[in-house]
Amino acid sequence: MRFRIFAFVLMAMAIACVPGSKGDVKFQQYYTEGEMLYQQHCANCHQVDGTGLGKLFPPLAKSDYMDNNREAVICLIRYGIKGEVLVNGVSYNQEMKGIPTLTDLEIAEIASYIYNSWGNEEEWVDVLQATKILAACKINE
Amino acid sequence: MITRLMKAMKLHWVKVLFLVLICFTACDKEKALPVFGEREVVGTDTVYHTIAPFQFVDQDSTVVTNATFKDQIYVTDFFFTSCRTICPIMKTQMLRVYQATAEMPDVKILSHTIDPEYDTVALLHDFAKRLGVTDNRWRFVTGVKDSIYKIAQTSYFATAMEDKSEPDGFIHSGAFLLIDKKQRIRGKYDGTKEEEVNKLIADIKKLRREDAL
């Protein structure tokens, strides 16, 4: 009996610790924090369900732009974006101001959340990746 | 004995049914929506607070005045296109009002920009189109800044002013106001809350029933 419990705990730990897996406790933490930050900073325009609003604010749920521009998405959370953007064949042209107060970790959390919500199933982003990407952002002012 | 009792009860039932019917027609009269603002009694008439004269220009360069809303019910709010805080939520909710009143030709929407320097007619035209507004039932107006702030504060009792310390440079309330055909305020709702906007949509229907009487 004792052995069984021990084996179970060991198995659970093994599953939880596979790096990058969605069962990862760390991913869950990122996701939960990301959800809170998303609702605070992004949901006003992009909506709680990620569907966007008309042709004003593009959707994040099932967005080809997000699939193809992972680095740019992480950069624009901090630095914003101006000019025309094509998302799923629709043109959007409303300036989004960046949120310079967000830390690398917070941006990683938001990215992990939006890339794994509303039917999106992409790799999540940890803080090391985010820092690397953010350091290489092309800032167009 | 028993049959007599049954007969009496039947008669009783008819009475009850009759009373219920009367209640449905008379007792259930709807409570009218309140009228906001100060009122004055002149002789035997009560004079209510009404919307002061205004003149703005909408997304199609059409001049919009009080006359535009003659014999019309309208919902109004204050916003600006570059606002990231409450305006997008307000526009999401106002879009619900726009869709819910699609079949009501006497119901209109009037959105004032409080940033007329940035929100030009051309910009408002683009904004409306992108939001999915296809007709002039929903007008987005711009005009002289002070006139917009003044009408917000004195006619609609809504807050709208510049404030450089705010993240987007303005403070304004997220209120939606319901104006009746006599240009009186009949309801004030938080345009950022879905339940409040549900109530607004219900009150529009109520107001139309009142007009039909």
Side-chain angles (χ1 to χ4, degrees), chain A residues 14-67:
Chain A
I15 291 167
C17 293
V18 175
S21 104
K22 298 283 165 64
D24 197 327
V25 176
K26 215 168 143 204
F27 165 70
Q28 292 300 337
Q29 280 173 351
Y30 271 63
Y31 187 89
T32 311
E33 286 298 313
E35 181 173 24
M36 221 178 64
L37 291 163
Y38 177 83
Q39 283 170 5
Q40 189 184 341
H41 296 287
C42 324
N44 284 1
C45 296
H46 294 290
Q47 311 292 319
V48 174
D49 61 3
T51 50
L53 179 61
K55 289 174 184 164
L56 278 172
F57 310 120
L60 306 185
K62 308 218 171 61
S63 145
D64 60 354
Y65 180 87
M66 273 187 38
D67 294 343

Side-chain angles (χ1 to χ4, degrees), chain A residues 7-21:
Chain A
F8 179 77
V9 168
L10 210 71
M11 253 170 65
M13 277 169 72
I15 291 167
C17 293
V18 175
S21 104

Side-chain angles (χ1 to χ4, degrees), chain A residues 19 26 30 70-71 74 78 103-109 111-112 123-137:
Chain A
K26 215 168 143 204
Y30 271 63
R70 205 175 156 88
E71 274 92 25
I74 288 166
R78 175 170 291 166
T103 62
D104 290 3
L105 175 64
E106 287 170 326
I107 290 175
E109 288 165 342
S112 295
E123 247 174 75
W124 62 282
V125 184
D126 73 7
V127 66
L128 295 173
Q129 276 175 283
T131 302
K132 212 168 132 192
I133 293 166
L134 286 162
C137 288

Side-chain angles (χ1 to χ4, degrees), chain A residues 91-107:
Chain A
S91 155
Y92 295 85
N93 199 354
Q94 183 82 7
E95 181 188 352
M96 173 181 146
K97 286 185 179 134
I99 311 162
T101 50
L102 291 175
T103 62
D104 290 3
L105 175 64
E106 287 170 326
I107 290 175

Side-chain angles (χ1 to χ4, degrees), chain A residues 41 43-45 47 53-57 91-99, chain B residues 81-86 88-89 91-92 95 118 126-127 129-132 168:
Chain A
H41 296 287
N44 284 1
C45 296
Q47 311 292 319
L53 179 61
K55 289 174 184 164
L56 278 172
F57 310 120
S91 155
Y92 295 85
N93 199 354
Q94 183 82 7
E95 181 188 352
M96 173 181 146
K97 286 185 179 134
I99 311 162
Chain B
T81 65
S82 59
C83 148
R84 298 160 296 162
T85 52
I86 58 173
I89 311 175
K91 287 294 153 279
T92 307
L95 198 59
Y118 183 79
D126 183 62
F127 186 87
K129 211 173 81 187
R130 285 175 178 277
L131 196 60
D168 287 324

Side-chain angles (χ1 to χ4, degrees), chain B:
Chain B
M1 178 66 193
I2 294 167
T3 45
R4 208 183 274 173
L5 194 81
M6 292 234 317
K7 262 186 190 166
M9 281 204 17
K10 257 186 197 163
L11 260 176
H12 197 66
W13 270 112
V14 171
K15 276 184 196 165
V16 168
L17 254 171
F18 189 66
L19 273 172
V20 167
L21 264 172
I22 288 182
C23 266
F24 264 118
T25 50
C27 313
D28 197 37
K29 203 176 165 199
E30 255 182 341
K31 218 177 138 215
L33 295 172
V35 179
F36 286 59
E38 278 181 35
R39 59 196 60 183
E40 243 184 295
V41 179
V42 180
T44 52
D45 289 331
T46 309
V47 179
Y48 293 98
H49 169 88
T50 55
I51 306 307
F54 60 83
Q55 184 174 331
F56 300 119
V57 179
D58 76 4
Q59 73 268 33
D60 296 316
S61 300
T62 310
V63 175
V64 173
T65 68
N66 308 65
T68 311
F69 300 102
K70 191 175 186 292
D71 293 324
Q72 307 276 314
I73 291 168
Y74 70 96
V75 181
T76 191
D77 71 346
F78 295 84
F79 85 113
F80 54 109
T81 65
S82 59
C83 148
R84 298 160 296 162
T85 52
I86 58 173
C87 315
I89 311 175
M90 289 166 71
K91 287 294 153 279
T92 307
Q93 291 302 323
M94 196 62 103
L95 198 59
R96 290 182 54 222
V97 177
Y98 178 69
Q99 285 156 354
T101 57
E103 304 299 321
M104 305 177 191
D106 56 333
V107 179
K108 302 280 164 29
I109 302 172
L110 174 63
S111 287
H112 307 74
T113 175
I114 55 167
D115 185 10
E117 280 154 20
Y118 183 79
D119 290 337
T120 57
V121 168
L123 209 137
L124 290 174
H125 182 89
D126 183 62
F127 186 87
K129 211 173 81 187
R130 285 175 178 277
L131 196 60
V133 176
T134 48
D135 55 26
N136 66 7
R137 281 199 311 116
W138 187 350
R139 293 170 190 270
F140 296 80
V141 296
T142 182
V144 179
K145 188 154 69 178
D146 290 340
S147 311
I148 297 169
Y149 293 176
K150 197 176 165 204
I151 199 133
Q153 284 155 19
T154 60
S155 278
Y156 297 112
F157 308 129
T159 318
M161 61 183 85
E162 255 177 307
D163 186 340
K164 296 277 183 255
S165 66
E166 283 292 306
D168 287 324
F170 298 91
I171 50 170
H172 69 124
S173 76
F176 287 178
L177 297 125
L178 177 61
I179 315 300
D180 71 8
K181 294 185 177 177
K182 293 174 182 160
Q183 303 256 310
R184 303 176 302 185
I185 303 175
R186 302 298 295 275
K188 188 172 184 177
Y189 314 84
D190 185 338
T192 63
K193 295 204 170 73
E194 197 178 326
E195 322 83 72
E196 292 246 336
V197 176
N198 290 344
K199 186 172 183 302
L200 164 63
I201 293 168
D203 283 355
I204 291 172
K205 291 175 185 161
K206 211 177 198 182
L207 198 54
R208 292 183 85 221
R209 283 197 291 272
E210 181 187 305
D211 289 333
L213 287 178

